[in-house]
Amino acid sequence: MPKPTIIVHGGAGSIQPYIWQEFRDGSHAAAKVGQQVLDTGGQALDAAIAAVRYMEDDIAFNAGTGSALNREGTVECDALVMTDDLQCGAVASVLGVRNPVELARVVLEHTPHLLIVGEGAVRLARAHQLALCDPAEMIVERRLARYMQMVQTRADFEFDPEKDATDDVLPDAPSDTVGACALDSRGRLAVASSTGGMALKLPGRAGDTPIIGGGSYCGPAGAVSCTGHGEAAMRVCLAKYAYDLLVQGASAAEATRRAIDHLVASIDGRAGLILVDRAGNRAWATSTRRISIGIVESLPEDNHGFMPKAQP
Ligand code: ASP
């Protein structure tokens, strides 16, 4: 059996030097949380969820508490979990659910459905005694300040993903979505992803994160989690594209790189992805300026946990 392993991302975009350390620490800590689950015999799904839940509770990341604000100044979350037997659960546009990834798990384990949105998802969370709160409690100062800055400087009140994905003017958008891909000691694979979505999104907008094959996918060949401009990732089914390359015999590194090449060649999209294959090989790639990666082994000192457009 392969060695149990996990890879975590804390988002892709133009993450600025002043928050590198925070992202590095958060991504690494999350990877450790997941790896600990695996090292004590836990399942891949538990490990991926534990890592993502950790980042949902870390206000640095755009997931759970501390998420980016939508156009109306509200935190609205999306999440997905999936295992290699093609079992899946996802939620979109949920308000006031502290850990959306736990709600995605409820959808997987307790409903015959794959994706539940909005108020129905919140009711499901209540029925399963998940932690709920006033949605305002999930707004943190930094995101609120960013929101105010964005709305004040934009007469059209629109987020421009093509520009903002690469523009220092809005350094943290899109970015900071979180995801984890895990392989356990039984050779089982799982993915978990969670996001507050794009800043200034329309209420009710779902991104790639909760879309099977768009921003997340898992099957017998591997687990994939994407981050970046959700509309771009969805248009090329980015996660499934990378997965299919694995099925066709590509290595983990080739699959991530070729998927990003395809994204750029097709629509000049800005996104990144992480992947673990069934042998435990991990890889990542991005067409954004940076992607934040968490793995348990130490990364070279000079990259601080960020690997701009590079492979392990
Ligand atoms: N992919 C996310 C979305 O479009 C955003 C992100 O990764 O930061 O909702």
Side-chain angles (χ1 to χ4, degrees), residues 12 62 78 174-177 195 197-198 205 207-209 226-231:
N62 177 16
D78 305 338
S175 63
D176 337 338
T177 282
T195 187
M198 309 284 284
R205 175 266 190 187
D208 58 313
T209 301
C226 303
T227 172
H229 181 204
E231 279 72 8

